[in-house]
């Protein structure tokens, strides 16, 4: 038993020793060569040009800016997310060529975390998870996701994701939606707090009713708190500015909490409203403000539209 214990300890130590801190300099197609299991890549100031897609498949890798540096990853394709990866202080530039910054597309995708990062110039979705993906967590802290009116969505989840958390983050200038789930998605928790979402042409956040035949709702638990949302919507589209829907034919319920949110300058079609909560019986909207100036299609701007069972307090 003692020998077995010593052998296990030696193996753990060997893996620990292999993890390195690697200082990286700007160049072309060099980041993928540096990535080994558990390494921390410290990126100096400058541009890192990646001409093809490379895989984030080594567990526990961290890519971070050197102190005082502002490294930019310019990629003509996406980073394939397959393992736990953290990015700190990095700017991602799709150069109006790459479809996504990162793409999760297999059941092996784990945690993906961005801290103090910026994203710009992607042609489809800034962050995308395919219908075959199973992501443990997708985390944004103090980031800026900039669609510049050419990217469709900031965050798009189509598969299974245990948790999406957006904290202290700005999402702006998206051609359609800020955060969008598909009706095939299975997200346990979507949490948005202390964030700013603005200038999105369709919705700030759209959670559709789950497709018939699914066991769970598209999103089991949604929380939006302490955030500001403005310049949202199109009076020709069938969405609320914040559009949350539940499929009543599915046995599982959807929990919704919206608290201390300010929504203004929103335009929606007919009765869809600013806060559109459809058939989510376990929904609470509290301490929120929804307002528009007189010139913003007030005919189409019911501030709160709660259909079936939602509770609205102090709004």
């Amino acid at each position: 038993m003692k020998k077995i214990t010593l052998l296990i300890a030696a193996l753990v130590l060997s893996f620990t020793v292999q993890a390195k801190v690697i200082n990286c300099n700007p160049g072309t197609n060099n980041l993928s060569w540096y990535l080994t299991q558990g390494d921390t890549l410290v990126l100096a100031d400058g541009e890192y040009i990646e001409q093809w897609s490379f895989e984030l498949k080594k567990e526990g890798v961290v890519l971070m800016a050197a102190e005082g540096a502002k490294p930019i990853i310019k990629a003509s394709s996406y980073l394939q997310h397959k393992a736990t990866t953290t990015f700190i202080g990095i700017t991602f530039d799709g150069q109006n060529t790459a479809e996504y910054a990162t793409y999760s597309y297999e059941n092996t995708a784990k945690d993906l975390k961005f801290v103090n990062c910026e994203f710009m110039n992607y042609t489809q979705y800034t962050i995308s998870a395919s219908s075959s993906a199973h992501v443990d967590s997708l985390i944004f802290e103090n980031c800026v996701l900039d669609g510049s009116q050419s990217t469709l969505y900031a965050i798009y989840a189509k598969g299974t994701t245990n948790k999406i958390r957006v904290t202290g983050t700005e999402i702006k200038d998206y051609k359609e939606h800020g955060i969008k789930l598909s009706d095939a998605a299975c997200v346990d928790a979507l949490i948005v707090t202390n964030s700013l979402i603005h200038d999105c042409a369709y919705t700030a956040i759209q959670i559709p009713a789950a497709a018939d035949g699914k066991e769970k709702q598209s999103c089991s638990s949604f929380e939006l708190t302490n955030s500001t949302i403005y310049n949202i919507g199109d009076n020709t589209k069938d969405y609320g500015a914040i559009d949350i829907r539940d499929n009543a034919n599915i046995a599982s319920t959807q929990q919704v909490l919206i608290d201390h949110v300010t929504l203004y300058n929103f335009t929606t079609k007919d009765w869809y409203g600013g806060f559109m909560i459809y058939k989510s019986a376990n929904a609470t909207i509290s301490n929120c403000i929804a307002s528009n100036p007189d010139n913003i299609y007030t005919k189409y701007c019911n501030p709160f539209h709660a259909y079936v069972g939602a509770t609205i307090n102090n709004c």
Side-chain angles (χ1 to χ4, degrees):
M1 178 64 72
K2 194 172 187 179
K3 289 183 179 179
I4 293 174
T5 303
L6 290 173
L7 178 60
I8 292 172
L11 288 171
V12 170
L13 180 62
S14 69
F15 282 118
T16 303
V17 170
Q18 287 176 7
K20 301 179 292 294
V21 175
I22 303 173
N23 294 313
C24 300
N25 293 312
T28 301
N29 299 328
N30 59 354
L31 290 181
S32 56
W33 298 107
Y34 286 127
L35 295 176
T36 58
Q37 185 163 320
D39 286 347
T40 295
L41 275 59
V42 181
L43 277 59
D45 208 16
E47 295 184 352
Y48 296 77
I49 311 298
E50 297 296 325
Q51 294 176 328
W52 55 73
S53 172
F54 67 84
E55 296 181 346
L56 300 170
K57 61 182 180 180
K58 300 297 185 180
E59 194 64 29
V61 168
V62 177
L63 289 85
M64 63 182 295
E67 185 174 357
K70 294 183 178 180
I72 301 173
I73 295 178
K74 288 190 170 182
S76 54
S77 190
Y78 50 80
L79 282 64
Q80 300 175 33
H81 169 222
K82 292 186 175 182
T84 298
T85 309
T86 301
F87 297 91
I88 304 173
I90 294 173
T91 296
F92 295 83
D93 185 351
Q95 306 177 93
N96 296 314
T97 301
E99 292 178 303
Y100 331 108
T102 64
Y103 183 52
S104 306
Y105 69 99
E106 290 186 353
N107 288 329
T108 54
K110 295 185 179 179
D111 300 312
L112 184 59
K113 184 175 183 178
F114 301 96
V115 180
N116 298 323
C117 292
E118 297 186 24
F119 302 84
M120 64 187 72
N121 301 325
Y122 291 92
T123 62
Q124 291 292 319
Y125 322 120
T126 301
I127 305 295
S128 180
S130 78
S131 56
S132 62
H134 187 145
V135 181
D136 286 342
S137 66
L138 181 57
I139 308 296
F140 299 85
E141 296 179 359
N142 303 315
C143 294
V144 177
L145 287 76
D146 184 354
S148 296
Q149 293 296 340
S150 61
T151 313
L152 297 178
Y153 319 146
I155 301 168
Y156 186 33
K158 294 187 286 185
T160 299
T161 304
N162 293 343
K163 178 172 65 178
I164 300 173
R165 190 179 76 220
V166 179
T167 304
T169 289
E170 181 179 11
I171 295 174
K172 62 179 180 178
D173 293 314
Y174 280 86
K175 191 174 180 180
E176 294 185 11
H177 306 276
I179 300 172
K180 177 178 171 59
L181 310 185
S182 80
D183 65 359
C186 185
V187 175
D188 285 343
L190 169 58
I191 302 166
V192 180
T193 187
N194 296 314
S195 292
L196 178 65
I197 305 177
H198 61 95
D199 294 286
C200 298
Y202 290 5
T203 73
I205 300 169
Q206 200 244 336
I207 300 175
D212 286 335
K214 286 184 59 184
E215 294 182 358
K216 298 174 68 175
Q217 302 292 340
S218 300
C219 182
S220 297
S221 175
F222 170 63
E223 294 184 15
L224 173 63
T225 60
N226 301 306
S227 296
T228 299
I229 297 172
Y230 64 90
N231 294 349
I232 303 293
D234 180 336
N235 70 331
T236 68
K237 304 300 179 185
D238 295 336
Y239 300 114
I242 299 168
D243 196 285
I244 313 300
R245 309 192 190 199
D246 185 295
N247 186 336
N249 295 322
I250 294 176
S252 68
T253 58
Q254 181 184 66
Q255 304 290 327
V256 176
L257 173 64
I258 301 175
D259 184 66
H260 285 93
V261 174
T262 298
L263 170 64
Y264 62 93
N265 286 15
F266 58 93
T267 303
T268 65
K269 180 181 176 182
D270 300 331
W271 47 268
Y272 288 94
F275 294 91
M276 165 64 179
I277 311 297
Y278 186 76
K279 294 187 178 180
S280 295
N282 296 306
T284 300
I285 305 175
S286 57
N287 306 305
C288 293
I289 298 172
S291 65
N292 275 319
D294 291 339
N295 62 344
I296 302 280
Y297 299 97
T298 53
K299 176 182 177 183
Y300 299 124
C301 291
N302 299 319
F304 303 95
H305 185 95
Y307 180 85
V308 182
T311 301
I312 300 176
N313 296 319
N314 195 30
C315 294

